Amino acid sequence: MFTRIQLALLLLFAAIAGFVAALHYDHPAVRNDAEQAGGSVEPINGRLQQMRNDLSDLGTAYRKIGETADETKRELSAIRTALSDLTERAHSEKAQDEAQKQMVDRVVADSERHAKETKDVLDTVLSKILGDPIGQTFGKRATIKVFSLKEAGYRGYMAKVKLHDPRAVRLVLSHDKIGDRGETTSQAAKRTGAKLAINGGGFATQKGLLYPMGITVVDGEIKTFYRTDLSFIGFNKDGNLVGGEITTKEQLRKLNVMHGATFVPTLLKGGKKLAIPGKWKNKKEPRTLIGHFSNGDLLFIVIDGRQKGYSEGVTLEEAQEKLLEFNVRDAYNLDGGGSSTFYYNGQVLNSPSDGRERKLASSFAVLP
């Protein structure tokens, strides 16, 4: 920009100098002197014409410089406008980002507050109904609190489990096989290093070997798939309890099921009681129940039965009512009767109706 101004001033100076020279050479006295000297004025006139032409060219050049300067001013003005727009936009986007961040922070804070309030309410509810835990485990993968159900009017136990690692809960097959002589829940727990375990899905016996009933999934692999008229009970890759009516393998894949077994019926869905099939209505039996509370924590329940003078068991209708009192949202009935077993911290806490543990095809286990 500075160079262009210098050039314009130089051209203007040259034009003025040429004009003065032209006036000097065209003066009558100059012309008379030339004639007296015996010379001709024609060459001088020629030079004057050339100088006029040069001045005209310089004027044209100067006008172009002026036009270029105007164009440069317009370009600079456009650049300044663009920069102003960019700055304004940047400030606006920064304000939007800050507003979005504040909104996200509020949502997270509300969620954490809600979770804490839910936890406080749940702990208060359980404490009023069941009293203090009789055992607690604070592991890296799971926190386990075990309660006696005696205060609730039953002979049995309940575990409330908060998973820190989704892989902490799993289905353990008898000696990790489909078709095996069987393994007790305590044996499966000790073999896998589990702190907590309950019996799993139903099974059938063929030629002295136990085979899981219906749908069985271990480590994301579908081991068995038949009898889809029953309830599937499983855990997905996030450690959430999922299940209910499963009729295709594609449903299992969409649910990202990692572990699961089969029995019947489904007791609660979304905090609502489901109808109990007539075959199982109003029958007191030993029960094994699995579900999750309103805050997502898991529960594992075993209630003893078939023991006169000690415990007759519980009906599925009664179980539904009690689970709702516990703030349970979804719940399923697992294999019961003589299979019902509650293992915690190295020992079986309940009293199996057979007088001893039964060998099973599968157990649900929680690693600490």
Side-chain angles (χ1 to χ4, degrees):
M1 185 69 178
F2 183 72
T3 303
R4 290 181 176 178
I5 295 173
Q6 285 182 316
L7 178 59
L9 292 173
L10 179 61
L11 292 173
L12 180 60
F13 177 78
I16 294 170
F19 181 72
V20 172
L23 290 176
H24 177 72
Y25 281 104
D26 199 37
H27 194 276
V30 175
R31 185 184 300 113
N32 186 54
D33 289 343
E35 290 173 354
Q36 288 179 0
S40 174
V41 297
E42 293 304 326
I44 293 175
N45 288 335
R47 286 196 297 274
L48 288 173
Q49 184 60 43
Q50 181 62 43
M51 292 178 70
R52 291 190 187 96
N53 293 339
D54 291 342
L55 285 173
S56 176
D57 291 343
L58 287 172
T60 300
Y62 180 73
R63 285 193 299 275
K64 289 183 178 180
I65 289 173
E67 292 171 359
T68 300
D70 291 341
E71 181 63 27
T72 300
K73 289 179 182 178
R74 286 193 292 273
E75 290 176 357
L76 288 173
S77 177
I79 291 171
R80 281 193 293 269
T81 301
L83 287 174
S84 177
D85 291 342
L86 287 173
T87 302
E88 184 177 349
R89 191 181 306 167
H91 288 314
S92 175
E93 291 177 353
K94 182 178 179 181
Q96 290 177 3
D97 290 343
E98 183 63 27
Q100 289 176 354
K101 181 180 181 299
Q102 291 177 359
M103 182 178 68
V104 170
D105 289 343
R106 284 196 299 272
V107 170
V108 171
D110 289 344
S111 177
E112 291 176 348
R113 184 174 62 257
H114 177 70
K116 184 178 184 302
E117 290 172 353
T118 302
K119 177 180 180 297
D120 291 342
V121 169
L122 181 58
D123 287 347
T124 300
V125 168
L126 294 179
S127 177
K128 286 183 177 180
I129 298 174
L130 304 176
D132 295 331
I134 63 171
Q136 299 186 74
T137 299
F138 300 95
K140 291 183 178 180
R141 288 177 283 192
T143 296
I144 304 169
K145 294 184 178 182
V146 176
F147 299 85
S148 168
L149 296 177
K150 190 174 181 180
E151 294 296 324
Y154 300 103
R155 295 286 187 173
Y157 298 87
M158 181 185 78
K160 176 177 175 289
V161 178
K162 179 180 289 295
L163 295 179
H164 310 307
D165 181 350
R167 296 168 296 180
V169 62
R170 58 184 298 107
L171 182 75
V172 180
L173 292 175
S174 172
H175 299 104
D176 300 325
K177 297 177 183 178
I178 295 293
D180 186 66
R181 65 182 182 277
E183 185 176 36
T184 67
T185 296
S186 62
Q187 288 171 340
K190 292 173 182 177
R191 180 171 61 83
T192 58
K195 180 66 87 172
L196 169 73
I198 61 172
N199 58 291
F203 59 93
T205 303
Q206 295 181 18
K207 297 181 180 181
L209 299 180
L210 307 184
Y211 291 86
M213 178 187 296
I215 301 170
T216 309
V217 181
V218 177
D219 289 326
E221 181 182 349
I222 301 173
K223 298 288 188 178
T224 65
F225 193 90
Y226 69 103
R227 289 297 307 271
T228 57
D229 58 317
L230 305 176
S231 291
F232 175 76
I233 306 104
F235 295 91
N236 66 16
K237 66 179 182 179
D238 296 319
N240 297 324
L241 183 67
V242 296
E245 184 178 346
I246 300 293
T247 58
T248 68
K249 293 182 179 180
E250 184 60 25
Q251 285 177 280
L252 291 174
R253 297 188 183 99
K254 286 183 177 180
L255 288 172
N256 294 311
V257 174
M258 296 302 295
H259 292 276
T262 298
F263 205 64
V264 72
T266 300
L267 301 175
L268 302 176
K269 270 291 184 182
K272 304 289 185 181
K273 292 188 290 185
L274 272 62
I276 303 299
K279 184 178 179 180
W280 293 285
K281 277 190 173 184
N282 300 313
K283 291 184 177 181
K284 286 184 179 292
E285 297 286 355
R287 303 291 183 187
T288 300
L289 313 173
I290 192 169
H292 69 83
F293 293 98
S294 55
N295 70 344
D297 288 354
L298 304 174
L299 78 150
F300 301 82
I301 291 179
V302 169
I303 297 175
D304 289 327
R306 297 179 185 173
Q307 299 174 62
K308 192 174 181 179
Y310 176 72
S311 179
E312 294 182 3
V314 63
T315 68
L316 294 177
E317 291 86 353
E318 290 172 340
Q320 287 176 316
E321 291 293 338
K322 188 58 64 176
L323 291 170
L324 289 175
E325 287 182 29
F326 291 163
N327 276 4
V328 175
R329 302 296 295 171
D330 293 352
Y332 304 88
N333 182 50
L334 290 171
D335 190 11
S339 298
S340 289
T341 308
F342 190 99
Y343 170 94
Y344 173 69
N345 200 26
Q347 60 181 323
V348 175
L349 298 187
N350 74 306
S351 177
S353 63
D354 288 351
R356 64 182 183 278
E357 279 190 85
R358 179 182 289 181
K359 288 188 176 183
L360 310 171
S362 66
S363 298
F364 281 106
V366 179
L367 284 65

